[in-house]
Structures are given as C-alpha cells and as structure tokens.
Amino acid sequence: SAGSGSATRYRPDAPARPSALLPDTARPGSPTSQTRPSTLQPLIHCCSTQSIKKVLDALLLPLPGVTAGKMFGYPAYYVHRKLFACVYGDGVGVKVPEAMANELLTQKHIVPFQPMGRARMREWIQINRASSEDYEQDQEVFHRAAQFVGALKKAGRLKPPSPAPQKRKRPQT
C-alpha cells in the first residue's frame, strides 16, 4: 500500500480500478506489470461501480424501452436490446450521434470511449465524473443516447427487404 513504503505495481492494460494496484508480491515477474514511479500518487477513484449504477438506474430505467444488463462485466443499459450506455472503469461509455460526440469531447470530463484499449469509436464517448451523483448533470446526454440508439433499432426494422435475386434466363440454342 502507499503508506507502508512498499513499492506498488500497476497494470497499464487494466481499467483504472482499485484492483489495478498490486503489491510487489502479487504476480512476481508478470510481463504486464511495471514498477510505478514513486513520484506518482496511487490512482484515485471517484466512486464505486455500484454507486454509479444506482444513479444511472434512477436516470435511465424510467425511459421507454430501457433495460439494465451487463457489458464487459459492468452495468449496462439497453434500449430495444441495443447497448447505449455502460459503466466501464471509472466512467460511463455512451453512444451518441457522431456530431454530438465531437462536440462533447471538447469538455474536460469527457474522453473517447476505448474499452480494453480498443480503437476510438466515432459515436462513443466516456463521461468521467468526480462523484456518482455528478452523472445527474449528464441526464440530457443519456436521454439523447437512448433516443439515438432507439431510432437506429427502429430504422433497421423498417428497412425494406432486399429484392430476391432474379433468375437469369438461359439463352436458347
């Protein structure tokens, strides 16, 4: 621990969670761990996954068609069985229209959503707040996300079926 004077290791490939801090005795020689420089403070976490879930449940579950589930082992929210928001690490990933994502990314508490180190996705952002209650400030973003993804699902259903391929007539000989 930070106060005991023992060196601390961290896994750069892991989400920023308390489990990402490992004492020297954990996983000796692990190729994915590095010695954390002594000038860095231990990672500070805003809130627990469960406290974020409690706030998001109150904000999102009353919306039409929204259900709770899991994604990446974290709480997730679906509209018409399509993912639109999920807790990941210390933040919440949200799918919004690309133009809205670009606009929101100018705010300091919003970053590209890149779960498990994946490449940036143009319609996904991650909102990081200092406390779980602060996610209430993003109610409009969450509502727009549910509407956006809900409309994608409906549009997919209304798409006309592709015409059956035409049989080619054989030339007469």
Side-chain angles (χ1 to χ4, degrees):
S1 72
S4 68
S6 67
T8 304
R9 291 182 181 256
Y10 82 105
R11 293 185 1 233
D13 60 328
R17 305 297 301 157
S19 61
L21 293 176
L22 301 171
D24 271 344
T25 56
R27 300 182 191 193
S30 170
T32 60
S33 61
Q34 303 171 0
T35 303
R36 188 176 177 87
S38 59
T39 57
L40 294 178
Q41 297 297 315
L43 297 174
I44 298 172
H45 307 287
C46 82
C47 31
S48 72
T49 299
Q50 287 307 310
S51 66
I52 296 172
K53 181 184 183 324
K54 184 177 177 182
V55 171
L56 294 180
D57 281 354
L59 288 174
L60 303 177
L61 292 179
L63 298 176
V66 173
T67 56
K70 293 234 180 222
M71 177 61 74
F72 306 119
Y74 289 100
Y77 299 88
Y78 298 82
V79 61
H80 306 298
R81 298 174 48 155
K82 291 204 52 121
L83 179 71
F84 75 94
C86 66
V87 177
Y88 185 77
D90 283 337
V92 179
V94 185
K95 184 173 184 168
V96 295
E98 184 177 4
M100 184 178 182
N102 291 334
E103 182 181 317
L104 290 169
L105 286 169
T106 63
Q107 298 179 30
K108 67 179 181 176
H109 68 284
I110 298 179
V111 297
F113 183 57
Q114 297 179 278
M116 298 183 285
R118 294 181 185 198
R120 179 176 183 254
M121 297 174 275
R122 59 190 163 89
E123 295 178 332
W124 283 89
I125 59 167
Q126 180 169 323
I127 303 171
N128 299 308
R129 290 292 189 175
S131 75
S132 54
E133 293 78 21
D134 290 345
Y135 287 102
E136 292 171 355
Q137 298 171 36
D138 303 301
Q139 182 172 357
E140 180 61 29
V141 174
F142 292 121
H143 287 203
R144 286 282 312 274
Q147 290 170 345
F148 172 64
V149 173
L152 292 176
K153 181 64 176 173
K154 289 177 188 171
R157 269 197 201 141
L158 298 175
K159 184 177 176 183
S162 2
Q166 301 275 330
K167 284 189 175 183
R168 293 179 62 182
K169 292 184 180 181
R170 289 187 174 170
Q172 294 179 344
T173 58

